[in-house]
């Protein structure tokens, strides 16, 4: 992949404010489903209770009365309004390929030339339309700005890693350890389907990527509104070798609890650089959010490269802006994120990274490529503001017409964990009708190559062993248009195992565990100490191939991403 002009970071210490729909009671987790966010945005008008006090009809609201035509590659005029994609990465977003927009109005749009059998209204297109609406000036920023989007935290699907109680664990060396409960998040694809009907691998991909999607989309929407402000209400975009200050224009947008400390666009040797510093005031305290993006156009609006990064200050104990985790000893936390991207015609390649660093006023969060630095690990004395919690990497290389391509998601809950967790996703054809996913474990995330390396059956139980075994959890999924879900029943999955070091139980002792995650031991026949449990995990059929090589042999590939995976850094 191409390497990009490195972003020379300026110290940006700033924050963000709430929009008209953000209330003090709003929380930052995925229980606020995407449907509520999408429907709220569609139902809102230019007036709201939060903004009702602002009666200035001349307020800069991004609206010019003109509608952007989208990508400028098919345009024959030189009108700057119709060529905004040259200055800004149109058609860029981060979303699960499985995610479907709940916006019924959006379903009338047709984006794919082939017969689409995947999501009826893919969230990826939903997101890019909303970003484009800010870029064109069609939608005022104050109608769609959600500061809490920056504070979303990823969660697991209900079928993934539930709490599982057990008795008589065979690996326990002390009777006091033989009974207990395995914590959430450690058991992988435990049930075949989520409560919403999706295959568990699909549901987990959607759940984990929801926060990543919301953060990046809100960052891109905010930066896009600067372009429309400059063109429609400001001084125009800068000429090469100059910059424009849009701080006044951005502050005039009427966003509650926000102050734009700086907002600028600069053009240097054909490269566009966007910078925003915001201050978000919560209960009298200020929290900083910074946004910065370098965008390098190619021959037209469908060819470009670039990198977005951001920092978001939060605090444990302050409702709505908490970043969880038990490794950092401070309540003050800073989310750091980066999104590197490369588009060539209808092919998009991207790498999204995010992590929670300990403290405010952090340094060294980004590496020389200006991506979130996976090696900047927290240590209470040697590196007290490094990343301490929830490092995640989403890599994707896909077709912008069909969304078909290669996807991988790797995450590590804590800096002291021994292994990353990885989902590899493959589709059987461009329709997204069906495919398979593999979940398992890899190396420490600072050296991951984005591919599952094996499986750990007893992650957190008594006398646990984290040696990777030659297994993965494999799940076939198939789209059902009648329910708008990806089905993944038991007979199409290899996900079952016993949470022991051997992944099995021979039925000769007293081990019982909550197989159906009902919360009640012994409520089904298979939950009996006299019943043996043989693993049904997927394993390579060719002993000469590793787990990763065998997964690749099945047609799944690690996405080719900008700047490569951490293993090659």
């Amino acid at each position: 992949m191409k390497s990009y002009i490195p972003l020379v970071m300026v110290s940006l210490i700033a924050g963000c404010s709430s929009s008209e729909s953000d209330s003090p009671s709003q929380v930052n987790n995925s229980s606020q489903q995407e449907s509520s966010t999408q429907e709220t945005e569609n139902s809102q008008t230019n007036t709201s209770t939060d903004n009702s006090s602002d009666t200035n009809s001349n307020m800069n609201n991004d609206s010019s009365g003109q509608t952007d035509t989208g990508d400028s590659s098919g345009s024959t005029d030189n009108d700057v309004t119709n060529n905004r994609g040259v200055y800004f990465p149109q058609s860029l977003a981060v979303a699960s390929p499985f995610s479907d927009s709940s916006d019924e109005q959006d379903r009338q749009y047709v984006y794919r030339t082939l017969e689409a059998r995947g999501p009826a209204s893919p969230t990826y297109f939903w997101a890019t339309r909303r970003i484009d609406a800010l870029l064109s000036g069609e939608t005022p920023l104050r109608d769609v700005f959600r500061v809490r989007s920056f504070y979303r935290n990823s969660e697991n699907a209900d079928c993934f890693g539930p709490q599982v109680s057990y008795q008589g664990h065979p690996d326990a060396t002390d009777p006091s350890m033989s009974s207990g409960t395995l914590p959430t998040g450690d058991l992988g694809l435990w049930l075949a389907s989520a409560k919403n009907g999706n295959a568990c691998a699909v549901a987990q991909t959607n759940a984990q990527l929801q926060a990543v999607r919301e953060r990046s989309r809100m960052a891109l929407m905010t930066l896009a509104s600067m372009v429309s402000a400059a063109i429609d209400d400001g001084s125009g975009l800068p000429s090469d070798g100059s910059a424009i200050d849009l701080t006044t224009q951005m502050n005039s947008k009427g966003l509650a609890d926000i102050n734009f400390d700086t907002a600028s666009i600069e053009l240097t040797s054909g490269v566009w650089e966007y910078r925003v510093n915001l201050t978000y005031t919560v209960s009298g305290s200020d929290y900083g959010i910074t946004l910065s993006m370098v965008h390098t156009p190619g021959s037209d609006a469908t060819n470009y490269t670039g990198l977005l990064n951001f920092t978001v200050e939060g605090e444990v104990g302050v409702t709505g802006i908490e970043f969880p985790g038990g490794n950092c000893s401070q309540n003050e936390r800073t989310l750091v994120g980066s999104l590197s991207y490369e588009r060539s015609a209808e092919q998009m390649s991207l790498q999204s990274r995010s992590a929670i660093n300990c403290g405010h006023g952090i340094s060294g969060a980004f590496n020389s490529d200006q991506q979130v630095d996976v090696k900047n690990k927290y240590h209470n004395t040697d590196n007290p503001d490094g990343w301490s919690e929830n490092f995640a990497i989403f890599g994707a290389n896909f077709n912008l017409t069909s969304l078909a391509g290669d996807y991988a998601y790797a995450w590590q809950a804590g800096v002291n964990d021994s292994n990353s967790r990885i989902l590899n996703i493959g589709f059987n054809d461009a329709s997204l009708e069906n495919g398979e996913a593999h979940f398992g474990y890899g190396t420490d995330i600072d050296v991951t190559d984005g591919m599952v390396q094996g499986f750990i059956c007893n992650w957190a139980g008594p006398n646990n062993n984290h040696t990777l075994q030659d297994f993965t959890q494999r799940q076939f999924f198939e789209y059902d248009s009648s329910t708008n879900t990806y089905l993944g029943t038991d007979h199409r999955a290899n996900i079952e195992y016993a949470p022991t070091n051997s992944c099995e139980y021979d039925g000769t002792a007293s081990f019982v565990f909550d197989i159906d995650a009902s919360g009640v031991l012994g409520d089904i026949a298979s939950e009996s100490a006299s019943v043996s449990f043989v693993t049904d995990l997927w394993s390579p059929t060719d002993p000469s191939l590793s787990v990763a090589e065998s997964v690749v042999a099945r047609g799944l590939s690690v996405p080719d991403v900008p700047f490569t995976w951490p293993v090659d850094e």
Side-chain angles (χ1 to χ4, degrees):
M1 303 299 290
K2 299 175 184 175
S3 60
Y4 310 134
I5 297 174
L7 170 59
V8 179
M9 286 296 293
V10 175
S11 178
L12 303 175
I13 302 176
C16 236
S17 119
S18 71
S19 71
E20 51 273 23
S21 70
D22 284 329
S23 64
S25 62
Q26 187 176 4
V27 294
N28 57 328
N29 59 48
S30 61
S31 63
Q32 303 164 333
Q33 297 295 328
E34 63 186 48
S35 59
S36 63
T37 303
Q38 294 163 356
E39 290 167 358
T40 300
E41 288 190 6
N42 289 321
S43 65
Q44 285 184 322
T45 62
N46 290 4
T47 59
S48 69
T49 55
D50 280 359
N51 291 316
S52 59
S53 61
D54 194 335
T55 58
N56 181 3
S57 61
N58 295 319
M59 175 181 291
N60 170 24
N61 65 358
D62 301 336
S63 300
S64 64
Q66 303 179 54
T67 301
D68 194 297
T69 61
D71 284 348
S72 62
S73 56
S75 176
T76 58
D77 62 58
N78 292 320
D79 184 349
V80 70
T81 303
N82 293 331
N83 286 278
R84 300 183 191 198
V86 174
Y87 323 119
F88 196 90
Q90 285 188 300
S91 300
L92 173 66
V94 177
S96 165
F98 304 113
S99 181
D100 190 280
S101 169
S102 65
D103 180 1
E104 294 295 333
Q105 184 178 0
D106 283 351
R107 297 184 189 277
Q108 64 184 294
Y109 294 94
V110 178
Y111 287 87
R112 288 175 280 183
T113 57
L114 66 160
E115 180 185 359
R117 292 188 291 267
S121 181
T123 299
Y124 188 94
F125 299 135
W126 176 89
T128 58
R129 283 197 298 279
R130 272 141 187 80
I131 296 167
D132 286 351
L134 271 296
L135 186 65
S136 68
E138 179 183 353
T139 299
L141 179 62
R142 70 174 188 167
D143 278 8
V144 294
F145 185 79
R146 306 283 179 275
V147 69
R148 297 294 174 83
S149 291
F150 291 113
Y151 291 94
R152 288 291 182 97
N153 291 307
S154 294
E155 293 185 351
N156 293 316
D158 52 54
C159 58
F160 184 94
Q163 281 191 342
V164 167
S165 57
Y166 61 88
Q167 294 177 357
H169 200 291
D171 295 318
T173 56
D174 186 314
S176 65
M177 302 168 56
S178 63
S179 299
T181 301
L182 300 174
T184 59
D186 294 336
L187 293 167
L189 308 175
W190 192 251
L191 302 175
S193 300
K195 291 179 181 177
N196 63 14
N198 275 318
C200 192
V202 171
Q204 178 67 358
T205 303
N206 288 345
Q208 283 290 310
L209 287 179
Q210 182 175 328
V212 180
R213 182 195 74 215
E214 290 301 300
R215 296 166 189 161
S216 60
R217 182 173 67 90
M218 198 53 58
L220 288 166
M221 288 171 71
T222 303
L223 296 178
S225 72
M226 294 171 63
V227 175
S228 59
I231 294 174
D232 302 334
D233 304 310
S235 56
L237 291 172
S239 58
D240 205 355
S242 64
I244 57 172
D245 186 341
L246 295 165
T247 309
T248 299
Q249 289 92 328
M250 297 302 287
N251 275 318
S252 71
K253 295 180 184 297
L255 305 181
D257 302 324
I258 274 190
N259 183 68
F260 284 82
D261 301 311
T262 61
S264 65
I265 303 176
E266 182 176 351
L267 178 61
T268 305
S269 300
V271 178
W272 297 87
E273 184 166 353
Y274 299 78
R275 293 190 184 101
V276 168
N277 287 8
L278 306 170
T279 299
Y280 175 33
T281 302
V282 181
S283 302
S285 297
D286 292 340
Y287 298 89
I289 297 177
T290 74
L291 311 173
S292 185
M293 183 174 72
V294 166
H295 178 69
T296 304
S299 57
D300 56 34
T302 66
N303 291 273
Y304 53 72
T305 62
L307 187 139
L308 161 74
N309 53 26
F310 53 88
T311 67
V312 182
E313 292 182 349
E315 186 169 355
V316 175
V318 180
T319 301
I321 63 169
E322 295 185 282
F323 294 127
N327 294 301
C328 174
S329 59
Q330 302 183 47
N331 287 334
E332 292 183 343
R333 312 281 173 87
T334 300
L335 170 76
V336 294
S338 62
L339 172 60
S340 55
Y341 56 86
E342 178 177 348
R343 179 178 179 180
S344 177
E346 291 305 301
Q347 196 69 20
M348 179 69 78
S349 176
L350 58 84
Q351 180 178 181
S352 170
R353 295 185 179 188
S354 60
I356 296 171
N357 284 41
C358 193
H360 289 173
I362 61 174
S363 62
F366 301 97
N367 62 20
S368 60
D369 293 325
Q370 295 308 313
Q371 293 195 110
V372 179
D373 190 353
V374 72
K375 300 185 185 303
N376 179 40
K377 293 186 174 184
Y378 167 81
H379 187 277
N380 60 347
T381 56
D382 296 340
N383 193 30
D385 61 355
W387 77 264
S388 56
E389 336 284 338
N390 301 318
F391 203 109
I393 303 175
F394 174 57
N397 191 333
F398 57 96
N399 181 275
L400 281 167
T401 301
S402 66
L403 300 185
D406 301 319
Y407 296 87
Y409 183 69
W411 73 102
Q412 189 161 309
V415 68
N416 298 315
D417 280 3
S418 59
N419 300 84
S420 56
R421 293 164 169 82
I422 300 175
L423 270 166
N424 293 124
I425 299 161
F427 294 96
N428 287 328
D429 56 51
S431 72
L432 307 190
E433 181 181 17
N434 56 59
E436 72 178 45
H438 286 255
F439 169 76
Y441 294 83
T443 55
D444 189 299
I445 200 161
D446 69 348
V447 289
T448 184
D449 63 0
M451 180 59 75
V452 171
Q453 304 292 327
F455 201 76
I456 298 170
C457 294
N458 184 11
W459 177 269
N463 197 31
N464 56 78
N465 187 330
H466 287 188
T467 301
L468 290 175
Q469 300 193 57
D470 291 338
F471 299 121
T472 75
Q473 288 185 311
R474 183 203 72 90
Q475 184 166 41
F476 176 81
F477 52 80
E478 184 171 18
Y479 188 72
D480 181 2
S481 59
S482 66
T483 60
N484 199 27
T485 57
Y486 278 94
L487 303 179
T489 55
D490 287 320
H491 75 277
R492 302 193 238 194
N494 303 106
I495 63 174
E496 295 182 346
Y497 68 96
T500 64
N501 288 334
S502 67
C503 303
E504 298 183 341
Y505 169 61
D506 61 11
T508 62
S510 58
F511 185 42
V512 180
F513 62 100
D514 194 1
I515 296 172
D516 60 350
S518 67
V520 179
L521 283 175
D523 60 336
I524 58 176
S526 55
E527 292 178 1
S528 169
S530 62
V531 176
S532 62
F533 197 97
V534 179
T535 178
D536 186 39
L537 296 173
W538 179 86
S539 60
T541 56
D542 184 344
S544 68
L545 298 179
S546 67
V547 167
E549 290 169 338
S550 298
V551 172
V552 171
R554 292 187 62 82
L556 284 76
S557 298
V558 175
D560 188 11
V561 297
F563 298 115
T564 75
W565 290 85
V567 68
D568 294 322
E569 288 184 359

